[in-house]
Amino acid sequence: MALSLSSCLTVPNRSSSSCVRNCKVKSKVVCCSARGGNDRNRIWGIGVGVVAACVVGLTALEADATRIEYYATVGEPLCELNYVKSGLGYCDIVEGFGDEAPRAELINVHYTARFGDGTVFDSTYKRGRPLTMRIGVGKVIRGLDQGIFGGDGVTPMRIGGKRKLKIPPMLAYGPEPAGCFSGDCNIPGNATLLYDINFVGIYNGNAK
């Protein structure tokens, strides 16, 4: 439910302090007027109805926001990491049931990304949609390419699979900071990155 600051249905009331302002209900907004009115009971009923509708709507929004925040910050169950020669650590929470990630094709993944201390710095769950990425050809950091597409001791992920990755700096962004804007960098240099990957599916816009 959206809030509006631009339009309202004005009703009279003797006390401006008791009014409910700018609460939108089914595209109509009830605002306050300092002018007197004869039907105070009717106005009071409208005010109570608006407050109740607002409380219900905001409660739904807060519940949805809580679910998104939960998925953005709470990790998958722990599993024992396997380390390969490149230094990448990985383990599967769910092995998956579908096709393997195809080389050079676009795939959709959900992920939560953390620093080594567990601090979340990025999450597709918080944005509410998976990320479409081209896999296996160097379009993402090496740790994600190897961790999803597989190779050099890492088994490829399958659709429906969930995998944890521990990506050392040399397979991530190296010694230089990354994600910088106006001098503020989201990822420090030499950062080890932890990813929870959920391979949602192959992007349906790929050329046949």
Side-chain angles (χ1 to χ4, degrees), residues 2-36:
L3 298 180
S4 172
L5 299 178
S6 59
S7 62
C8 65
L9 171 65
T10 303
V11 296
N13 197 335
R14 294 182 183 276
S15 173
S16 61
S17 62
S18 64
C19 293
V20 179
R21 293 183 180 273
N22 297 327
C23 181
K24 190 172 185 180
V25 183
K26 294 182 179 179
S27 300
K28 293 183 180 179
V29 179
V30 176
C31 292
C32 177
S33 171
R35 297 193 300 273

Side-chain angles (χ1 to χ4, degrees), residues 47-189:
V48 171
V50 171
V51 171
C54 286
V55 169
V56 172
L58 290 176
T59 301
L61 283 175
E62 289 172 359
D64 187 57
T66 300
R67 285 193 293 270
I68 294 174
E69 186 66 19
Y70 173 85
Y71 285 120
T73 57
V74 178
E76 296 288 350
L78 296 177
C79 58
E80 185 176 355
L81 294 170
N82 303 299
Y83 289 90
V84 296
K85 186 177 180 180
S86 66
L88 179 73
Y90 79 100
C91 59
D92 288 319
I93 304 299
V94 177
E95 291 188 1
F97 53 84
D99 294 335
E100 296 179 357
R103 181 180 179 84
E105 296 289 347
L106 293 171
I107 64 172
N108 292 326
V109 300
H110 264 306
Y111 68 84
T112 299
R114 297 174 174 81
F115 295 122
D117 63 0
T119 302
V120 175
F121 68 87
D122 192 16
S123 174
T124 57
Y125 294 108
K126 196 168 187 178
R127 295 193 290 274
R129 61 183 184 275
L131 177 69
T132 300
M133 62 170 66
R134 194 175 301 278
I135 202 69
V137 289
K139 297 298 183 180
V140 295
I141 59 174
R142 290 170 57 198
L144 288 178
D145 255 350
Q146 186 180 13
I148 298 174
F149 180 69
D152 295 330
V154 179
T155 57
M157 288 192 72
R158 294 181 177 274
I159 294 173
K162 294 183 177 182
R163 175 173 287 181
K164 282 184 174 292
L165 300 175
K166 185 174 183 180
I167 304 176
M170 60 276 199
L171 299 180
Y173 296 100
E176 299 297 326
C180 300
F181 181 76
S182 298
D184 185 21
C185 297
N186 192 30
I187 302 174

